[in-house]
Amino acid sequence: MIRINKNKRKFFFVTFLFLFMISGCGSSNDEAASSSDPEAIRESQISELENSDLIGNVDAYAAIQGVIAEGPAPAAAKVFIIENDESVEEGAGEKYVYSPLYLDFPAELQAKTDAEMNVLVKLRSYYMQTATYSNDGKAYTRYVQITILDRAAGTIIHQETLIGSAPFSIGEKESSGYGYVADYQVLDTILAFFGYAEK
């Protein structure tokens, strides 16, 4: 009887160890999976950004101006990107927010704090009417102005405007059509300035 009890205890102990090891491996596998999951990585980046002082200073960054003095990016550039908030109604004044393109920047270029940020990229997007359709509908083209500022020097070291595609065709009952500038075009243009060739 005693031998049976000992065997039972040994069996339960071994089973417990086995289950513990499996659960431990499972959690590490879950962590590894989440660390390679693009959505999880982006959520982590957004959380880190929202906890930094960069977000709180967006209004101050929007007010930064500079004298145009085209030149290279400073050594060891640490960049933050803001863009005008297009949801703000016309006539209410421009409002800026951080640009999601910042999250697509190489990690070595991303500023993590206000003190670290030495290059500011300001994006200003807008539409202009560029044509009229046969049904008198209006055709609009998108423009994205890119302004890159050397924060320490107080100068605009690069500025250019990307012009969108030709407005798309519209149906007879539609009143307007739009041409666009893709986000990847804006990102590639900015990265090219910092010496990152298009892939």
Side-chain angles (χ1 to χ4, degrees), residues 53-66:
D53 55 4
L54 292 166
I55 292 293
N57 287 321
V58 168
D59 288 340
Y61 300 151
I64 293 176
Q65 303 295 321

Side-chain angles (χ1 to χ4, degrees), residues 7 44 91 151 157 183 198:
N7 287 338
S44 174
R151 189 181 183 189
I157 52 179
D183 284 346
E198 293 182 27

Side-chain angles (χ1 to χ4, degrees), residues 13-70:
F13 179 71
V14 170
T15 303
F16 173 77
L17 278 178
F18 180 70
L19 291 173
F20 178 77
M21 288 171 63
I22 289 176
S23 65
C25 290
S27 63
S28 63
N29 286 338
D30 289 343
E31 287 174 12
S34 66
S35 67
S36 61
D37 177 17
E39 286 187 19
I41 292 171
R42 197 166 186 87
E43 285 178 14
S44 174
Q45 289 176 314
I46 291 171
S47 176
E48 183 180 349
L49 177 58
E50 288 177 344
N51 289 322
S52 76
D53 55 4
L54 292 166
I55 292 293
N57 287 321
V58 168
D59 288 340
Y61 300 151
I64 293 176
Q65 303 295 321
V67 177
I68 295 179
E70 288 278 342

